[in-house]
């Protein structure tokens, strides 16, 4: 079996070098400890070892690990027990695993696939090296709050991971915190030598049945020993087996981006073909859509994702993630890679276009290249036109520098069912621009503005269908606020989130304008800073009798009294308050008899009535803040036991 070397770098590469030398050609690389020298994990998780020069330089700091992460639930493989193409796995507390790991040197337990960052988000044990930052997979999953592909591995001497290639044909990077790993890697074009006649992959390269795998010894391979602090980049589709020498800890990410997107797509397409073939015998008993839906369900179970997931990732990446920065190729380059995949998908999997409606429910218009791509698609693809016309319900505009109207006017005309409209990240957003967009989307009922600077009053025009406004982290001039409110006077729901308005009383005046221009509010959320209590009290007095929902940030007792006096019909109440009298809460609970949800955010426990603490089974304590959420049953019980018993 012939061997080849993997290049090693003592100092980190610049991203552009890494892109040209390793990402695009799909070639592995080993980086020296300089890439991870400043990691917290390399300082706190390990201690110096007494090994010789040939052994590991560091060993696990078991005491630190147990004291900080003892209660975490972890997944542990038993390396000497095979389970199909993997190893038997069980779950246990980290403290239990750590005790076995430390005391039973011959244990075959290997902690794998621990979502450490997800379990301990504030720990900051490491930071992703810049050459690996362009990570579509984790960007999408972290944003959707469902999962991630950021793992920690811990195991003793002679534990191992069987031969495999990484999930989704993703890249991976693996940094050794301590111990030594022996890697045996095979390029993707060696796959035929690694499988038997049934397509089964070699399980353990140390024990290969050459009668079953007669061509195994013809495969080309690379063998390397990864020492403490070193980081290995494993390219897409490379097969590998990993063996631990000494007690090891590693941090691993699976990731993908525009450079291996096509390989990832081909992997999913192959799995999809296999799934369709497996249930082809029942195809005639189903409609086309039922069969496709069943295939997607089975694909999700088999591969961990399906076309729905894949297209959702592309949608998020192209609309929210791509940018011109130091650790990504140009946006144009990335868009071309996506286009190549989408063209292949449409030509090869045209029947799966039934998933386009889900993808186009919410369209984000950001980079101009993306807008032009969508514009061309809507111009040339009749099915996409139909999907956009019927299924697009939400549109987000996201431009740091603003945009030319011609870029989006023709697109909006093709999205007649848009109901929700969002503006985000505008350094200067005029009310006139908002009015222009609303005039092209007459069915919009919800307007959202986030992280913008709202300027200029706009025209005297009214949009009667807009009944909800969310204004978050947005500064505004008084003229702009007045122009906006006057354009949408029929609001029933308003959220005014925190901002940084620097002019004294601007927020107060804006609330007074709101009260004058929009009299019909039933659901109100206010968390603006620098608002006088007298302004809030006036607002509560005016809107109180008709309010159904209220979320408010207030600093004085009079606001609390006004809630009890004027907002008796409230059903949902959230209060952020720095301090009050206990009677104020009791009065609200007594007077607002329709409440089904009452939440006190970050409330000093010593200022919470005992009737609430008793219901929540909490003791009275000084100096502790908690959030208390009372549901309908809690509120009914408090009233029954306490409030009406004089």
């Amino acid at each position: 079996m012939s061997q080849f070397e993997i290049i090693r770098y003592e100092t980190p590469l610049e991203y552009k070098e890494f892109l040209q030398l390793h990402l695009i050609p799909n070639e592995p690389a080993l980086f020296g400890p300089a890439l991870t020298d400043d990691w917290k994990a390399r300082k706190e998780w390990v201690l110096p070892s007494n090994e010789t020069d040939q052994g590991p330089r560091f060993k696990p700091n078991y005491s630190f690990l147990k004291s900080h992460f003892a209660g975490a639930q972890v997944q542990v493989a038993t390396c000497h027990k095979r389970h199909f193409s993997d190893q038997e796995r069980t779950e246990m507390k980290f403290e239990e695993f750590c005790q076995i790991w430390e005391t039973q040197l011959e244990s075959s337990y290997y902690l794998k696939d621990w979502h450490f960052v997800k379990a301990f988000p504030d720990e900051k044990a490491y930071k992703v090296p810049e050459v690996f930052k362009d990570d579509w997979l984790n960007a999408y999953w972290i944003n959707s709050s469902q999962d991630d592909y950021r793992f920690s591995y811990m195991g003793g001497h002679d534990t191992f991971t069987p031969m495999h290639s990484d999930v989704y044909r993703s890249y991976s990077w693996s940094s050794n915190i301590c111990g030594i790993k022996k890697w045996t890697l095979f390029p993707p074009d060696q796959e035929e030598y690694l499988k038997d006649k049934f397509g089964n992959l070699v399980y353990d390269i140390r024990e290969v049945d050459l009668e079953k795998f007669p061509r195994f010894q013809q495969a080309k391979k690379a063998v390397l020993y990864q020492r403490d602090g070193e980081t290995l980049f494993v390219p897409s589709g490379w097969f590998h087996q990993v063996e631990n020498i000494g007690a090891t800890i590693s941090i691993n990410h699976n990731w993908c981006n525009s450079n291996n997107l096509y390989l990832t797509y081909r992997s999913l397409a192959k799995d999809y073909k296999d799934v369709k073939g497996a249930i082809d015998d029942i195809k005639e008993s189903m409609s086309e859509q039922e069969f496709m839906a069943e295939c997607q369900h089975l694909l999700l179970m088999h591969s961990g994702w399906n076309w729905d997931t894949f297209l959702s990732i592309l949608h998020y990446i192209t609309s929210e993630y791509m940018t011109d920065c130091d650790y990504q190729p140009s946006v144009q380059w990335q868009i071309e890679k996506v286009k190549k995949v989408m063209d292949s998908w449409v030509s090869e999997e045209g029947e799966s276009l039934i998933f386009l409606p889900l993808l186009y429910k919410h369209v984000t218009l950001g980079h101009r290249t993306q807008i032009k791509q969508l514009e061309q698609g809507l111009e040339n693809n009749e099915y996409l036109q139909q999907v956009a016309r019927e299924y697009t319900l939400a549109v987000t505009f996201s431009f740091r520098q603003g945009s030319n109207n011609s870029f989006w006017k023709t697109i909006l005309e093709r999205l007649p069912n848009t109901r929700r409209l969002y503006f985000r990240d505008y350094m200067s957003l005029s009310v006139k621009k908002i009015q222009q967009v609303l005039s092209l989307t007459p069915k919009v009922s919800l307007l959202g503005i986030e992280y913008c600077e709202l300027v200029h009053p706009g025209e005297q025009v009214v949009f009667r269908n807009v009944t909800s406004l969310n204004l978050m982290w947005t500064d505004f001039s008084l003229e702009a606020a007045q122009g906006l409110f006057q354009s949408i006077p029929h609001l029933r729901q308003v959220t005014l989130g925190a901002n940084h308005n620097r002019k004294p009383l601007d927020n107060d005046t804006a609330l007074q304008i709101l009260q004058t221009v929009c009299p019909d509010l039933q659901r109100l959320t206010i968390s603006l800073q620098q608002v006088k209590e007298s302004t809030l009290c006036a607002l509560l007095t005016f809107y109180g009798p008709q309010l159904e929902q209220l979320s408010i940030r207030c600093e004085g007792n009079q606001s609390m009294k006004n809630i009890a006096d004027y907002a008796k019909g409230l059903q949902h109440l959230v209060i952020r308050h720095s301090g009050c009298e206990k009677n104020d809460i009791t009065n609200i609970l007594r007077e607002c008899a329709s409440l089904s949800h009452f939440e006190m955010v970050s409330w000093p426990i010593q200022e919470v009535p005992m009737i609430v603490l008793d219901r929540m089974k909490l003791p009275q304590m000084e100096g502790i803040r908690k959030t208390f959420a009372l549901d309908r049953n809690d509120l009914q019980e408090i009233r029954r036991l306490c409030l009406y018993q004089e």
Side-chain angles (χ1 to χ4, degrees), residues 468-480:
S468 295
L469 171 67
N470 295 336
L471 201 64
M472 303 291 293
W473 291 108
T474 293
D475 294 347
F476 45 78
S477 67
L478 287 181
E479 294 79 7

Side-chain angles (χ1 to χ4, degrees), residues 369-421:
T369 304
Q370 300 162 3
I371 297 174
K372 291 301 291 183
Q373 291 282 345
L374 178 59
E375 188 177 10
Q376 291 170 8
L378 290 172
E379 184 70 30
N380 301 320
N381 189 313
E382 291 185 5
Y383 183 68
L384 184 58
Q385 293 173 17
Q386 178 186 346
V387 167
R389 185 169 58 251
E390 296 180 8
Y391 292 98
T392 298
L393 301 178
V395 176
T396 294
F397 291 90
S398 179
F399 300 99
R400 288 297 298 167
Q401 303 295 336
S403 69
N404 188 310
N405 294 357
S406 63
F407 274 95
W408 43 259
K409 184 176 180 180
T410 55
I411 291 178
L412 288 177
E413 290 172 345
R414 296 179 182 272
L415 308 176
N417 277 322
T418 302
R419 300 297 203 277
R420 302 186 302 278
L421 180 64

Side-chain angles (χ1 to χ4, degrees), residues 372-533:
K372 291 301 291 183
Q373 291 282 345
L374 178 59
E375 188 177 10
Q376 291 170 8
L378 290 172
E379 184 70 30
N380 301 320
N381 189 313
E382 291 185 5
Y383 183 68
L384 184 58
Q385 293 173 17
Q386 178 186 346
V387 167
R389 185 169 58 251
E390 296 180 8
Y391 292 98
T392 298
L393 301 178
V395 176
T396 294
F397 291 90
S398 179
F399 300 99
R400 288 297 298 167
Q401 303 295 336
S403 69
N404 188 310
N405 294 357
S406 63
F407 274 95
W408 43 259
K409 184 176 180 180
T410 55
I411 291 178
L412 288 177
E413 290 172 345
R414 296 179 182 272
L415 308 176
N417 277 322
T418 302
R419 300 297 203 277
R420 302 186 302 278
L421 180 64
Y422 303 93
F423 293 87
R424 184 181 177 90
D425 290 329
Y426 274 78
M427 297 178 69
S428 179
L429 175 63
S430 70
V431 174
K432 183 176 181 180
K433 183 183 291 291
I434 296 172
Q435 293 171 338
Q436 290 171 338
V437 176
L438 286 172
S439 68
L440 294 168
T441 52
K443 293 184 179 180
V444 164
S445 60
L446 185 151
L447 174 63
I449 304 172
E450 299 179 353
Y451 302 100
C452 296
E453 179 81 27
L454 196 61
V455 297
H456 308 308
E459 308 291 339
Q460 291 186 353
V461 59
V462 172
F463 299 94
R464 297 182 179 277
N465 287 335
V466 180
T467 57
S468 295
L469 171 67
N470 295 336
L471 201 64
M472 303 291 293
W473 291 108
T474 293
D475 294 347
F476 45 78
S477 67
L478 287 181
E479 294 79 7
Q482 183 166 2
L484 178 65
F485 294 151
Q486 288 176 338
S487 295
I488 47 177
H490 300 290
L491 291 173
R492 298 297 182 91
Q493 178 270 325
V494 169
T495 296
L496 299 177
N499 63 8
H500 296 104
N501 265 359
R502 292 172 177 81
K503 292 184 180 179
L505 303 181
D506 267 12
N507 285 343
D508 288 270
T509 307
L511 290 177
Q512 293 165 8
I513 294 171
L514 177 70
Q515 180 179 324
T516 303
V517 176
C518 305
D520 301 326
L521 291 187
Q522 296 175 339
R523 300 180 301 279
L524 180 62
T525 298
I526 301 176
S527 55
L528 295 169
Q529 295 104 322
Q530 300 176 347
V531 174
K532 290 183 177 180
E533 187 181 20

Side-chain angles (χ1 to χ4, degrees), residues 91-252:
E91 287 194 353
M92 62 179 67
K93 293 289 186 183
F94 178 74
E95 183 178 31
E96 180 185 353
F97 163 77
C98 208
Q99 185 66 25
I100 297 171
W101 184 28
E102 180 180 11
T103 59
Q104 300 180 26
L105 300 182
E106 301 302 319
S107 170
S108 64
Y109 277 170
Y110 190 5
L111 186 159
K112 291 186 173 184
D113 302 330
W114 184 15
H115 296 262
F116 178 82
V117 177
K118 193 174 179 182
F120 298 96
D122 298 325
E123 186 62 25
K124 312 299 182 190
Y126 65 95
K127 60 183 180 182
V128 178
E130 184 154 312
V131 290
F132 307 138
K133 276 186 178 179
D134 185 17
D135 180 350
W136 292 12
L137 199 59
N138 285 299
Y140 170 78
W141 286 114
I142 294 168
N143 178 73
S144 65
S145 300
Q146 297 181 49
D147 206 350
D148 68 6
Y149 289 85
R150 302 172 294 177
F151 306 112
S152 292
Y153 288 72
M154 302 181 184
H157 180 70
D158 214 28
T159 53
F160 78 106
T161 297
M163 174 77 90
H164 68 287
S165 65
D166 285 323
V167 60
Y168 310 150
R169 288 297 186 267
S170 60
Y171 297 137
S172 70
W173 60 264
S174 176
S175 293
N176 238 21
I177 305 303
C178 70
I180 298 174
K181 287 184 180 292
K182 178 185 177 183
W183 291 77
T184 307
L185 298 102
F186 300 84
D189 61 6
Q190 302 298 295
E191 182 174 0
E192 61 180 302
Y193 304 114
L194 308 176
K195 292 185 174 181
D196 64 15
K197 62 181 180 181
F198 302 108
N200 299 309
L201 190 67
V202 166
Y203 176 75
D204 185 348
I205 61 173
R206 298 170 298 183
E207 300 176 356
V208 178
D209 183 345
L210 294 179
E211 290 188 4
K212 189 175 180 181
F213 299 93
R215 305 177 67 193
F216 176 73
Q217 291 186 327
Q218 300 176 40
K220 298 177 182 178
K221 68 177 181 179
V223 177
L224 66 85
Y225 291 85
Q226 179 191 17
R227 303 185 68 83
D228 314 75
E230 294 182 335
T231 300
L232 179 66
F233 165 63
V234 181
S236 181
W238 280 61
F239 295 89
H240 50 281
Q241 180 165 315
V242 189
E243 303 159 40
N244 292 326
I245 300 172
T248 63
I249 301 175
S250 66
I251 290 169
N252 304 58

Side-chain angles (χ1 to χ4, degrees), residues 241-352:
Q241 180 165 315
V242 189
E243 303 159 40
N244 292 326
I245 300 172
T248 63
I249 301 175
S250 66
I251 290 169
N252 304 58
H253 282 206
N254 289 102
W255 52 301
C256 66
N257 54 40
S258 58
N259 297 287
N260 67 338
L261 178 63
Y262 189 74
L263 296 175
T264 300
Y265 161 73
R266 296 285 359 140
S267 171
L268 183 58
K270 178 184 179 301
D271 289 349
Y272 181 49
K273 181 179 179 181
D274 292 343
V275 165
K276 285 200 299 182
I279 63 169
D280 189 63
D281 57 327
I282 65 170
K283 184 175 182 178
E284 292 184 359
S285 64
M286 299 179 173
S287 69
E288 181 181 359
Q289 288 205 348
E290 287 174 335
F291 181 72
M292 288 299 105
E294 183 63 20
C295 287
Q296 294 306 309
H297 173 71
L298 293 175
L299 184 60
L300 182 63
M301 297 299 101
H302 173 266
S303 303
W305 63 346
N306 55 19
W307 288 128
D308 178 12
T309 316
F310 184 76
L311 296 174
S312 295
I313 291 174
L314 293 188
H315 178 255
Y316 171 75
I317 293 300
T318 54
S319 61
E320 300 283 342
Y321 177 82
M322 283 184 186
T323 185
D324 288 314
C325 66
D326 292 338
Y327 58 86
Q328 292 183 24
S330 69
V331 170
Q332 183 63 43
W333 162 282
Q334 297 181 75
I335 289 292
E336 288 174 0
K337 298 295 184 182
V338 172
K339 186 176 185 303
K340 176 184 177 182
V341 165
M342 292 304 296
D343 288 345
S344 296
W345 178 70
V346 170
S347 64
E348 297 173 12
E349 309 294 344
E351 59 193 1
S352 297

